[in-house]
Amino acid sequence: MALRTIDSLGSLAGKRVIVRADLNVPLQDGVISDDGRIRASVPTVEELLGLGAAVILISHLGRPDGAPDPRYSLAPVATRLAELLGRPVAFAADTVGEAATTAAAALRPGEVLLLENLRFNPGETSKDEAERRAFAALLARLGDAVVSDGFGVVHRAQASVTDLEALLPSAAGGLVERELSVLERLTTAPERPYAVVLGGSKVSDKLAVIDSLLPRVDTLLVGGGMVFTFIAALGHPVGASLLEADQIPAVLGYLERAKELGVEIVLPEDIVVAERFAADARHEVVAADAIEGSRFGVSGIGLDIGPKAAERFASIVRGSRTVFWNGPMGVFEFPDFAFGTAAVARALSETDGFGVVGGGDSAAAVRALGFEDADFGHVSTGGGASLEFLEGKRLPGLVALGWE
Ligand code: ADP
Ligand code: MG
């Protein structure tokens, strides 16, 4: 392991410490709909303040296109963070420009500053290493050390996650440490049966993990937006549902591979099909192989797994000793399409085994549905990061902190 931790940074009294957090919270019309990731970042900030440091928080929010976009401003996060910390949080309207530089220079021990969205800058996510380095070098001028605590992004080779860590004395924060200790339980001799439940909307990202997960699990349950690429691969039309047609050959490969390995891939037998993508859309339940047979024909959109599927998924989850779940089973933000997600969440909260929920939207979903973090073995702030860890990948943001 050998991840560098905060104590390896020596005395931080009077130092300016940059904290790369993951404050990428869901926003609806500028209002934070779930503050779980902000809460998760608080202990490390408090720890550093307690050590006499000044804290400069940096984060991304959403996927803006490398340019300022007010819809993705972190300003509302500064307000919420100040409430949670019970102290003022200054906010700088840029990341490495005049505002940030001035605010960082004025920061005193015990004070907290949040900079604007890192991804307003093309260097943050650039594929060009020199461009990332150049942006990281500007960030590095703001502080004396960097603590990497944004677990949700440690699988990304991005300026603030890897390059900055190479330029300043760097260490993992407590959130990253805690997340890793849980995930190690899932990779080092997990109790069997071991099931992974996948859903959500980042279809191609998540399809890519299946290949390396298959040899590790007993059962793979597939719901959410990715299910339609499976249904289409089996030769059934999916109407206007989320479909990544170019992934069909890959999906056929996974189905074949699962058979060889004796791993069961469980697909929903029924689907809730809606007339359109809206909270109040008319909808009906149809068999998964008859989506276009609904009264909405080819324009019907699958927005949830059906009740029979929900029951089957729940029973497999309840019967497993280890479960990792990433990605909502349906568009849970609309109450009419939250049934599948709620059924899986309930089963996971009831299982005697070790159940982990991972992913920004998945964690937000279980909380929105009235569950508490304590109802599960663990609620992780990272979806993609957790999945890639479970696949056995070396995550660049951890390698940058000394992980082997
Ligand atoms: P996570 O953040 O937990 O990793 P994702 O970001 O991949 O999960 O996906 C979350 C989103 O997936 C939710 O906003 C949800 O509405 C959406 N989703 C789930 N099922 C479907 C579906 N059938 N069609 C479209 N979107 C879906
Ligand atoms: Mg998400």
Side-chain angles (χ1 to χ4, degrees), residues 201-202 206 359-362:
S201 58
K202 290 180 191 159
K206 291 181 188 181
D361 292 290
S362 305

Side-chain angles (χ1 to χ4, degrees), residues 343-356:
V344 169
R346 194 172 315 108
L348 197 63
S349 73
E350 286 165 2
T351 174
D352 300 329
F354 184 51
V356 178

Side-chain angles (χ1 to χ4, degrees), residues 155 192 328 344 363:
H155 60 315
R192 295 188 178 271
V344 169

